[in-house]
Amino acid sequence: MLGVVLRRLGHMFFVMLGISIIVFLIFFATPGSDPASRIAGRNASPETLAAVRQSFGLDKPLPVQYVILMKKLFVTRDLTSFVNRGQAVIPEVMQAAPVTLSLVTGAAVIWMVLGVGIGLLSAATRGSVLDRVLMALGLIGISMPVYWVGEIMNLLSQSRLHDTALFSWVPALGYHAFASDPLTWFQGLVIPWITLAIMYIGLYGRVLRANLIEALQEDYIRTARAKGLSETRVLLRHALRTSMITLITLFGLDFGALVGGAAVLTEVVFGLPGIGKLTYDALQNLDLPVIMATVIYGSFFVVMANAAVDLLYVVLDPRVRRDD
């Protein structure tokens, strides 16, 4: 078990190393472009360009430039934005990360609970009217764009129905820190959670239903039924455990990508200053240091989420331990 964990962590380290090298080469070694002018932003003065070249060691070999950038990102954490007058980048990312984590974690709880519930109920009643209705609702949820759902929710909760009992508790758009007011933090994120979760509820429900129906045809399920186990126990104890492996794979990819910045549409619509919103604003201003930092940190979130999924495989599936 310990060997499996160490191997997974080793793989994670080398993947992260490869990602950091690729991102560095894209931004610093693109043929025909001057990284100093790209980092300094539009209409930069000669003094700013000189400061950028000195700060990033652009007159040195590429390996030295890579080490300097990684040191600025992870050791000294003094990477600065020349577009925003020397503002430190890493503190911005650290301030944005809890916002995105709050948004994605709450939405993930909703979509996992409801997605698994819908998948189980549909598989248990497959072919019935309830099964068809649930799958149709899931397909509708998958089909609705997040930004459209968010705008509709804002229109209802912030304008048309804000003064009614249904939405009078909804605070103004923006993020309210948990430490200062936990109740307002919760109230401000409920609608963004639901908006972000809607698509994944339908997707996870449909995927789990298909996996459960397939698992219920396996020989070990027939054996469990032959032993006299109830259909509910067969479904929950045996079929669900093996079917969850696919769902966990999806969850690792989706959670990591959303925390890494893929929740940008939800953050922009609801005015949440998370990683996605920070990247969006940096792209608007062509603020390259901020873009580099969010891309690297975001990709690391994806890698770490997938490493956590790999470790969870070891717990759920004994075959993984035997293969290693």
Side-chain angles (χ1 to χ4, degrees):
M1 180 71 173
L2 180 60
V4 174
V5 172
L6 292 177
R7 273 192 289 274
R8 293 292 189 269
L9 293 177
H11 295 163
M12 182 181 71
F13 170 78
F14 284 109
V15 170
M16 287 182 172
L17 179 64
I19 290 172
S20 67
I21 293 173
I22 291 172
V23 171
F24 165 78
L25 292 175
I26 290 173
F27 286 115
F28 281 79
T30 304
S33 64
D34 180 14
S37 61
R38 296 165 67 191
I39 294 172
R42 297 187 185 98
N43 304 319
S45 64
E47 293 79 10
T48 303
L49 291 173
V52 170
R53 291 190 177 93
Q54 181 181 5
S55 178
F56 288 90
L58 297 181
D59 57 338
K60 297 179 173 60
L62 278 178
V64 177
Q65 296 178 32
Y66 171 79
V67 171
I68 291 173
L69 178 61
M70 293 302 108
K71 181 181 177 182
K72 287 179 174 293
L73 280 170
F74 298 107
V75 182
T76 59
R77 308 210 303 178
D78 59 353
L79 184 66
T80 57
S81 168
F82 290 89
V83 174
N84 291 324
R85 300 179 182 178
Q87 185 176 3
V89 172
I90 305 306
E92 280 191 279
V93 176
M94 293 297 102
Q95 289 175 4
V99 180
T100 301
L101 280 170
S102 298
L103 171 65
V104 177
T105 301
V109 171
I110 294 173
W111 88 57
M112 282 298 291
V113 171
L114 294 182
V116 170
I118 288 173
L120 280 170
L121 192 56
S122 293
T125 60
R126 60 188 179 277
S128 67
V129 174
L130 178 60
D131 176 30
R132 295 190 182 96
V133 169
L134 289 175
M135 290 298 98
L137 291 175
L139 185 59
I140 292 172
I142 296 171
S143 304
M144 292 192 298
V146 171
Y147 62 85
W148 180 81
V149 175
E151 290 292 355
I152 295 298
M153 296 297 284
N154 279 340
L155 179 65
L156 295 177
S157 64
Q158 297 290 336
S159 178
R160 298 290 178 84
L161 303 178
H162 182 66
D163 295 329
T164 66
L166 188 61
F167 292 113
S168 59
W169 52 271
V170 179
L173 293 179
Y175 181 73
H176 308 273
F178 178 84
S180 60
D181 191 346
L183 179 59
T184 307
W185 170 86
F186 177 81
Q187 292 173 334
L189 285 173
V190 167
I191 292 179
W193 285 340
I194 295 171
T195 301
L196 183 59
I198 285 176
M199 179 181 70
Y200 295 100
I201 292 171
L203 176 63
Y204 281 53
R206 293 176 69 88
V207 169
L208 182 60
R209 175 188 179 274
N211 288 339
L212 284 171
I213 292 176
E214 182 180 354
L216 289 172
Q217 311 304 318
E218 297 291 337
D219 291 338
Y220 69 90
I221 295 295
R222 296 191 186 96
T223 303
R225 286 171 174 156
K227 291 179 178 179
L229 298 180
S230 66
E231 195 65 26
T232 301
R233 187 171 181 181
V234 168
L235 183 65
L236 297 178
R237 186 73 180 270
H238 297 278
L240 180 60
R241 181 170 181 176
T242 55
S243 300
M244 284 295 292
I245 292 177
T246 302
L247 223 59
I248 289 170
T249 302
L250 278 177
F251 180 80
L253 292 170
D254 292 334
F255 188 86
L258 288 170
V259 173
V264 56
L265 294 177
T266 307
E267 292 177 358
V268 170
V269 168
F270 290 100
L272 300 173
I275 296 291
K277 180 67 162 54
L278 181 64
T279 307
Y280 174 81
D281 292 338
L283 288 169
Q284 295 286 92
N285 300 321
L286 293 180
D287 194 348
L288 195 59
V290 176
I291 296 171
M292 285 191 297
T294 55
V295 167
I296 291 179
Y297 275 83
S299 62
F300 284 3
F301 278 124
V302 175
V303 173
M304 287 187 288
N306 282 275
V309 168
D310 286 343
L311 296 178
L312 193 55
Y313 280 166
V314 178
V315 177
L316 288 177
D317 193 347
R319 293 172 297 180
V320 176
R321 294 193 291 269
R322 287 198 297 268
D323 290 342
D324 285 280

